Amino acid sequence: MQKRIGVIFVSRRNSLRSILAEACLAHLDPKRFSASSCGQPGQVTREFHPAAVAALKSAGIPLPNRLPRGWDELARASAHPADFVITLDETTGPRQPLWPGQPDAALWAYPDLLDGRDPERVAHDAVQTLFSLRRRLELLVSLPMQGVDRSAVRSDVRDLGYLR
């Protein structure tokens, strides 16, 4: 049996963007990929943002099984080995820990939907973010991951961050 490819999505609060990404990847290809998400300790919320819940529900994608958590939980050596860490909030990049196993890193920058926006706008933008993430993740799951040059896969995953 082939090892599942571990992907960790990182955003500041782990309540919206990273939750959308985790749920979407788990929905698209749960057999090949193991998706997790986390946020910056001290910034993480205790529950999923209602806009994330609504966006996932409208797309027929189930919520992740775990509530939001900090990256300190995932950065422990035995916690969740990752092949890729995809950062969705560029402000968290310099603060992130050294991830065990030296996973490949990529930045897929998305704006913080919760900074000063009214709830109706957040709900709309959450759906748009989910559509964008889904496009990128569909391309990610279509990439050949086994038996190819790791640097080529790394470049492809990073290049997905420039997709609009």
Side-chain angles (χ1 to χ4, degrees):
M1 184 171 156
Q2 219 170 16
K3 170 188 162 299
R4 287 171 62 199
I5 300 155
V7 180
I8 297 174
F9 297 98
V10 181
S11 67
R12 188 174 356 147
R13 288 178 287 273
N14 189 218
S15 67
L16 210 156
R17 295 168 287 183
S18 53
I19 296 300
L20 295 174
E22 175 187 358
C24 191
L25 181 57
H27 177 74
L28 290 172
D29 197 344
K31 291 182 180 174
R32 276 188 27 184
F33 290 88
S34 170
S36 300
S37 66
C38 61
Q40 182 178 338
Q43 299 288 319
V44 176
T45 62
R46 295 182 187 267
E47 55 191 32
F48 304 129
H49 192 278
V53 174
L56 291 168
K57 184 177 181 183
S58 72
I61 298 174
L63 287 167
N65 294 329
R66 297 184 64 121
L67 289 174
R69 56 194 161 170
W71 58 50
D72 50 346
E73 186 178 330
L74 292 179
R76 285 187 225 118
S78 63
H80 296 273
D83 298 289
F84 298 96
V85 173
I86 298 175
T87 301
L88 304 172
D89 183 335
E90 60 193 326
T91 66
T92 65
R95 297 181 182 101
Q96 289 183 33
L98 295 175
W99 295 97
Q102 298 179 335
D104 292 323
L107 174 62
W108 294 3
Y110 283 89
D112 187 345
L113 302 180
L114 304 180
D115 281 347
R117 296 181 186 183
D118 69 86
E120 190 174 299
R121 178 66 190 247
V122 171
H124 174 268
D125 290 349
V127 171
Q128 296 304 308
T129 298
L130 178 59
F131 286 147
S132 175
L133 281 165
R134 184 173 184 134
R135 254 192 332 266
R136 289 178 184 186
L137 292 168
E138 286 171 343
L139 291 169
L140 175 71
V141 301
S142 72
L143 291 174
M145 296 282 181
Q146 306 297 331
V148 295
D149 178 27
R150 182 176 166 129
S151 65
V153 173
R154 179 184 323 116
S155 292
D156 288 344
V157 173
R158 287 179 179 164
D159 287 349
L160 289 174
Y162 298 104
L163 199 78
R164 293 283 167 211

